[in-house]
Every structure is written in structure tokens, then in C-alpha cells.
Amino acid sequence: MDVLTENFALYGKGFLGTVELTVYASVLALLLGFLMASFRVAPVGSLRVIGTVWVAVLRNTPLTLLFFAVLLGLPRFGLVLPFEVFAVLALGCYTSAFICEALRSGINTVSTGQGEASRSLGMSFGQTLNSVVLPQAFRSVIPPVGSTLIALAKNSAIAGAFSVTELLGTYKTLNELGYSIIWSFVWIALGYLIITLSISALFNVMEKRWGVAR
């Protein structure tokens, strides 16, 4: 317990850093995932190509490599931002590819007849997608989206290697201070467990309220 009680402020700062990364990156991932899922089912060929390339590139790129590309590559083009913002961009863009595929799988569960009926009533593609298709698709994709955001929370640990304040990075300071590395990691693991279980509980509530009955 000494490791935790004597370094509670350090753990707290790392814990809050991980929570902030998870929340901001999740919002970005959901927005981009929705946008790319819309592109992938759009009637415009160029949009489908953009969505397909986005998913293919990001899903097949190691996250660590993406961090290097964002944190070291973007400043070369004159885009200089805090490392925390770069980390959110890397995490959010990477996770958006998986969110996109989860949403697309949910969209594919909706009968094509409903989309055709909507268009026959004069609704545009955007109106059909937002008012008819997505509300139904959302119900079936709650579990996979929740699992993806849990993975995002754990992936945020990579940010610590790029000078971003997060939970896993606290072990470096604790190790330098001579604390037991085993107990340092025990409390770090507990912090991640609290975050992931909180996300899981939130999506369990959402699934019980809006999910498709099996």
C-alpha cells in the first residue's frame, strides 16, 4: 500500500491523463467512424473509395507506427501542437477504422427494403441514413463499439512513450524512486481495470436499454 499512498498524486495525475486521452480519442473515433461508415455505404463512388482506403490503411498499420507518423511527421509540415493533441489524433484516427467497420456491419443488418421505401418517399441518402438506417443499426452495434473503446483505453498506454502523461508512464518515476516494480504495476493495472470496467458498465446499460433482444 505504501507505493499507492505515498505516490497517490502521481497515480492520480496518470489516471486522469489516461481518462482524458480515452474520452477525447473516443469522441474523435466515433465522429470519424460515423463519417467513414457513411462514406462506405454512400452511392457516390469516390466517397466509397475514401472510406475503404481509410479503413484499409489504418486497420493494417501498427498503432506505434501511427504514433511516430503523427508526433514526428506532422510537425515537419508546420503543424505543431501539444503532444497530448497528437496522441488523441493518433488514437482517435486508428480506432475510427474499427468503429467504422462495426457501424457498417450494423448498417448491413438493416433491410435494404427500408432504404428503398425511404427513397421512394423522396428522402435523400443523408435523411435515409440518419432517420431510418442508423437508429436501427445503432442497436446492434452497441457491444462491438463498447469493446473497441475498451481497446482504445488500453492502447492509450502507448502515449506514455511519447512524453504524454498517462497511467502506465508512472512506473518510470516510481522505479527511479526505488519502489517495488511489481506493486507499481499492480496499482497501474487496477487503474486500467477501473477505466475499462466503467466503459463496460456504461455499454451494458446502453445494451439493456436499446440493444437488440436476442
Side-chain angles (χ1 to χ4, degrees), residues 46-70:
S46 58
L47 293 181
R48 291 198 301 272
V49 170
I50 293 173
T52 301
V53 171
W54 180 273
V55 171
V57 171
L58 291 176
R59 284 210 308 174
N60 294 288
T61 300
L63 181 55
T64 304
L65 180 60
L66 185 60
F67 263 89
F68 275 112
V70 171

mmCIF file of all heavy atoms in Angstrom, residues 46-70:
data_model
loop_
_atom_site.group_PDB
_atom_site.id
_atom_site.type_symbol
_atom_site.label_atom_id
_atom_site.label_comp_id
_atom_site.label_asym_id
_atom_site.label_seq_id
_atom_site.Cartn_x
_atom_site.Cartn_y
_atom_site.Cartn_z
ATOM 1 N N SER A 46 -16.590 7.874 -55.316
ATOM 2 C CA SER A 46 -15.383 8.487 -54.741
ATOM 3 C C SER A 46 -15.405 8.460 -53.218
ATOM 4 O O SER A 46 -14.366 8.272 -52.584
ATOM 5 C CB SER A 46 -15.243 9.927 -55.239
ATOM 6 O OG SER A 46 -16.383 10.705 -54.897
ATOM 7 N N LEU A 47 -16.591 8.635 -52.633
ATOM 8 C CA LEU A 47 -16.703 8.571 -51.171
ATOM 9 C C LEU A 47 -16.450 7.154 -50.669
ATOM 10 O O LEU A 47 -15.800 6.963 -49.632
ATOM 11 C CB LEU A 47 -18.086 9.054 -50.726
ATOM 12 C CG LEU A 47 -18.405 10.531 -50.959
ATOM 13 C CD1 LEU A 47 -19.800 10.856 -50.454
ATOM 14 C CD2 LEU A 47 -17.380 11.435 -50.274
ATOM 15 N N ARG A 48 -16.955 6.170 -51.405
ATOM 16 C CA ARG A 48 -16.715 4.781 -51.007
ATOM 17 C C ARG A 48 -15.224 4.449 -51.058
ATOM 18 O O ARG A 48 -14.711 3.724 -50.203
ATOM 19 C CB ARG A 48 -17.506 3.825 -51.900
ATOM 20 C CG ARG A 48 -19.000 3.886 -51.708
ATOM 21 C CD ARG A 48 -19.682 2.638 -52.274
ATOM 22 N NE ARG A 48 -19.420 2.480 -53.695
ATOM 23 C CZ ARG A 48 -20.154 3.019 -54.654
ATOM 24 N NH1 ARG A 48 -21.204 3.778 -54.336
ATOM 25 N NH2 ARG A 48 -19.853 2.830 -55.936
ATOM 26 N N VAL A 49 -14.533 4.992 -52.042
ATOM 27 C CA VAL A 49 -13.085 4.767 -52.149
ATOM 28 C C VAL A 49 -12.362 5.383 -50.955
ATOM 29 O O VAL A 49 -11.472 4.758 -50.364
ATOM 30 C CB VAL A 49 -12.542 5.354 -53.469
ATOM 31 C CG1 VAL A 49 -11.012 5.339 -53.463
ATOM 32 C CG2 VAL A 49 -13.072 4.575 -54.656
ATOM 33 N N ILE A 50 -12.743 6.609 -50.580
ATOM 34 C CA ILE A 50 -12.123 7.271 -49.428
ATOM 35 C C ILE A 50 -12.325 6.441 -48.159
ATOM 36 O O ILE A 50 -11.384 6.208 -47.390
ATOM 37 C CB ILE A 50 -12.701 8.686 -49.238
ATOM 38 C CG1 ILE A 50 -12.289 9.597 -50.398
ATOM 39 C CG2 ILE A 50 -12.229 9.292 -47.907
ATOM 40 C CD1 ILE A 50 -12.962 10.959 -50.382
ATOM 41 N N GLY A 51 -13.557 5.991 -47.928
ATOM 42 C CA GLY A 51 -13.843 5.187 -46.748
ATOM 43 C C GLY A 51 -13.081 3.883 -46.747
ATOM 44 O O GLY A 51 -12.548 3.460 -45.703
ATOM 45 N N THR A 52 -13.002 3.230 -47.892
ATOM 46 C CA THR A 52 -12.299 1.951 -47.993
ATOM 47 C C THR A 52 -10.807 2.115 -47.745
ATOM 48 O O THR A 52 -10.195 1.321 -47.012
ATOM 49 C CB THR A 52 -12.530 1.321 -49.376
ATOM 50 O OG1 THR A 52 -13.928 1.114 -49.589
ATOM 51 C CG2 THR A 52 -11.807 -0.008 -49.502
ATOM 52 N N VAL A 53 -10.210 3.143 -48.333
ATOM 53 C CA VAL A 53 -8.775 3.385 -48.155
ATOM 54 C C VAL A 53 -8.475 3.738 -46.705
ATOM 55 O O VAL A 53 -7.483 3.262 -46.122
ATOM 56 C CB VAL A 53 -8.299 4.513 -49.093
ATOM 57 C CG1 VAL A 53 -6.868 4.933 -48.755
ATOM 58 C CG2 VAL A 53 -8.388 4.060 -50.549
ATOM 59 N N TRP A 54 -9.315 4.573 -46.096
ATOM 60 C CA TRP A 54 -9.129 4.968 -44.687
ATOM 61 C C TRP A 54 -9.090 3.736 -43.793
ATOM 62 O O TRP A 54 -8.171 3.572 -42.973
ATOM 63 C CB TRP A 54 -10.276 5.890 -44.273
ATOM 64 C CG TRP A 54 -10.231 6.375 -42.856
ATOM 65 C CD1 TRP A 54 -10.747 5.741 -41.751
ATOM 66 C CD2 TRP A 54 -9.648 7.592 -42.374
ATOM 67 N NE1 TRP A 54 -10.524 6.474 -40.620
ATOM 68 C CE2 TRP A 54 -9.846 7.621 -40.972
ATOM 69 C CE3 TRP A 54 -8.996 8.651 -42.986
ATOM 70 C CZ2 TRP A 54 -9.417 8.681 -40.185
ATOM 71 C CZ3 TRP A 54 -8.551 9.701 -42.193
ATOM 72 C CH2 TRP A 54 -8.766 9.710 -40.811
ATOM 73 N N VAL A 55 -10.060 2.848 -43.961
ATOM 74 C CA VAL A 55 -10.130 1.650 -43.124
ATOM 75 C C VAL A 55 -8.966 0.711 -43.415
ATOM 76 O O VAL A 55 -8.328 0.184 -42.491
ATOM 77 C CB VAL A 55 -11.474 0.920 -43.345
ATOM 78 C CG1 VAL A 55 -11.467 -0.445 -42.655
ATOM 79 C CG2 VAL A 55 -12.618 1.769 -42.823
ATOM 80 N N ALA A 56 -8.667 0.495 -44.692
ATOM 81 C CA ALA A 56 -7.608 -0.444 -45.067
ATOM 82 C C ALA A 56 -6.248 0.002 -44.531
ATOM 83 O O ALA A 56 -5.474 -0.817 -44.017
ATOM 84 C CB ALA A 56 -7.558 -0.594 -46.583
ATOM 85 N N VAL A 57 -5.958 1.294 -44.637
ATOM 86 C CA VAL A 57 -4.655 1.798 -44.193
ATOM 87 C C VAL A 57 -4.536 1.753 -42.674
ATOM 88 O O VAL A 57 -3.552 1.236 -42.126
ATOM 89 C CB VAL A 57 -4.426 3.240 -44.703
ATOM 90 C CG1 VAL A 57 -3.183 3.854 -44.053
ATOM 91 C CG2 VAL A 57 -4.285 3.240 -46.223
ATOM 92 N N LEU A 58 -5.535 2.271 -41.978
ATOM 93 C CA LEU A 58 -5.424 2.388 -40.522
ATOM 94 C C LEU A 58 -5.539 1.038 -39.811
ATOM 95 O O LEU A 58 -4.863 0.797 -38.814
ATOM 96 C CB LEU A 58 -6.490 3.352 -39.994
ATOM 97 C CG LEU A 58 -6.266 4.818 -40.378
ATOM 98 C CD1 LEU A 58 -7.421 5.681 -39.905
ATOM 99 C CD2 LEU A 58 -4.956 5.331 -39.808
ATOM 100 N N ARG A 59 -6.386 0.150 -40.310
ATOM 101 C CA ARG A 59 -6.521 -1.158 -39.652
ATOM 102 C C ARG A 59 -5.274 -2.013 -39.838
ATOM 103 O O ARG A 59 -5.041 -2.936 -39.044
ATOM 104 C CB ARG A 59 -7.741 -1.918 -40.190
ATOM 105 C CG ARG A 59 -9.055 -1.420 -39.654
ATOM 106 C CD ARG A 59 -10.083 -2.521 -39.575
ATOM 107 N NE ARG A 59 -10.228 -3.249 -40.830
ATOM 108 C CZ ARG A 59 -10.992 -4.329 -40.956
ATOM 109 N NH1 ARG A 59 -11.651 -4.807 -39.920
ATOM 110 N NH2 ARG A 59 -11.100 -4.933 -42.133
ATOM 111 N N ASN A 60 -4.491 -1.741 -40.867
ATOM 112 C CA ASN A 60 -3.318 -2.561 -41.155
ATOM 113 C C ASN A 60 -2.006 -1.853 -40.834
ATOM 114 O O ASN A 60 -0.937 -2.296 -41.263
ATOM 115 C CB ASN A 60 -3.338 -2.980 -42.627
ATOM 116 C CG ASN A 60 -4.498 -3.904 -42.943
ATOM 117 O OD1 ASN A 60 -4.512 -5.058 -42.544
ATOM 118 N ND2 ASN A 60 -5.501 -3.391 -43.639
ATOM 119 N N THR A 61 -2.104 -0.751 -40.087
ATOM 120 C CA THR A 61 -0.915 -0.019 -39.644
ATOM 121 C C THR A 61 -0.742 -0.196 -38.141
ATOM 122 O O THR A 61 -1.692 0.034 -37.384
ATOM 123 C CB THR A 61 -1.054 1.487 -39.953
ATOM 124 O OG1 THR A 61 -1.212 1.673 -41.360
ATOM 125 C CG2 THR A 61 0.182 2.247 -39.480
ATOM 126 N N PRO A 62 0.419 -0.638 -37.668
ATOM 127 C CA PRO A 62 0.631 -0.750 -36.217
ATOM 128 C C PRO A 62 0.413 0.607 -35.537
ATOM 129 O O PRO A 62 0.827 1.641 -36.058
ATOM 130 C CB PRO A 62 2.096 -1.202 -36.107
ATOM 131 C CG PRO A 62 2.394 -1.841 -37.426
ATOM 132 C CD PRO A 62 1.587 -1.086 -38.438
ATOM 133 N N LEU A 63 -0.234 0.586 -34.385
ATOM 134 C CA LEU A 63 -0.547 1.837 -33.695
ATOM 135 C C LEU A 63 0.715 2.608 -33.323
ATOM 136 O O LEU A 63 0.743 3.844 -33.407
ATOM 137 C CB LEU A 63 -1.387 1.547 -32.441
ATOM 138 C CG LEU A 63 -1.816 2.760 -31.613
ATOM 139 C CD1 LEU A 63 -2.558 3.780 -32.470
ATOM 140 C CD2 LEU A 63 -2.686 2.323 -30.435
ATOM 141 N N THR A 64 1.758 1.895 -32.914
ATOM 142 C CA THR A 64 3.011 2.577 -32.561
ATOM 143 C C THR A 64 3.582 3.332 -33.759
ATOM 144 O O THR A 64 4.055 4.471 -33.634
ATOM 145 C CB THR A 64 4.051 1.564 -32.061
ATOM 146 O OG1 THR A 64 3.511 0.827 -30.964
ATOM 147 C CG2 THR A 64 5.319 2.277 -31.609
ATOM 148 N N LEU A 65 3.499 2.718 -34.943
ATOM 149 C CA LEU A 65 3.974 3.382 -36.158
ATOM 150 C C LEU A 65 3.140 4.620 -36.459
ATOM 151 O O LEU A 65 3.664 5.650 -36.895
ATOM 152 C CB LEU A 65 3.920 2.405 -37.333
ATOM 153 C CG LEU A 65 4.395 2.945 -38.693
ATOM 154 C CD1 LEU A 65 5.846 3.403 -38.606
ATOM 155 C CD2 LEU A 65 4.222 1.877 -39.771
ATOM 156 N N LEU A 66 1.836 4.531 -36.208
ATOM 157 C CA LEU A 66 0.960 5.682 -36.428
ATOM 158 C C LEU A 66 1.310 6.814 -35.464
ATOM 159 O O LEU A 66 1.280 7.993 -35.846
ATOM 160 C CB LEU A 66 -0.497 5.266 -36.255
ATOM 161 C CG LEU A 66 -1.554 6.321 -36.576
ATOM 162 C CD1 LEU A 66 -1.434 6.780 -38.026
ATOM 163 C CD2 LEU A 66 -2.955 5.771 -36.312
ATOM 164 N N PHE A 67 1.657 6.482 -34.222
ATOM 165 C CA PHE A 67 2.094 7.500 -33.263
ATOM 166 C C PHE A 67 3.347 8.217 -33.777
ATOM 167 O O PHE A 67 3.445 9.447 -33.712
ATOM 168 C CB PHE A 67 2.378 6.859 -31.898
ATOM 169 C CG PHE A 67 1.244 6.955 -30.930
ATOM 170 C CD1 PHE A 67 0.258 5.979 -30.880
ATOM 171 C CD2 PHE A 67 1.134 8.030 -30.064
ATOM 172 C CE1 PHE A 67 -0.796 6.058 -29.987
ATOM 173 C CE2 PHE A 67 0.087 8.135 -29.161
ATOM 174 C CZ PHE A 67 -0.884 7.144 -29.126
ATOM 175 N N PHE A 68 4.307 7.443 -34.289
ATOM 176 C CA PHE A 68 5.520 8.054 -34.839
ATOM 177 C C PHE A 68 5.173 8.965 -36.011
ATOM 178 O O PHE A 68 5.719 10.075 -36.141
ATOM 179 C CB PHE A 68 6.493 6.962 -35.301
ATOM 180 C CG PHE A 68 7.373 6.429 -34.205
ATOM 181 C CD1 PHE A 68 7.232 5.126 -33.750
ATOM 182 C CD2 PHE A 68 8.351 7.236 -33.634
ATOM 183 C CE1 PHE A 68 8.041 4.633 -32.740
ATOM 184 C CE2 PHE A 68 9.173 6.747 -32.624
ATOM 185 C CZ PHE A 68 9.017 5.436 -32.176
ATOM 186 N N ALA A 69 4.268 8.500 -36.875
ATOM 187 C CA ALA A 69 3.908 9.289 -38.052
ATOM 188 C C ALA A 69 3.262 10.611 -37.659
ATOM 189 O O ALA A 69 3.539 11.660 -38.257
ATOM 190 C CB ALA A 69 2.959 8.479 -38.935
ATOM 191 N N VAL A 70 2.388 10.569 -36.640
ATOM 192 C CA VAL A 70 1.663 11.774 -36.229
ATOM 193 C C VAL A 70 2.552 12.713 -35.420
ATOM 194 O O VAL A 70 2.639 13.913 -35.711
ATOM 195 C CB VAL A 70 0.402 11.388 -35.415
ATOM 196 C CG1 VAL A 70 -0.232 12.637 -34.809
ATOM 197 C CG2 VAL A 70 -0.610 10.670 -36.304
#
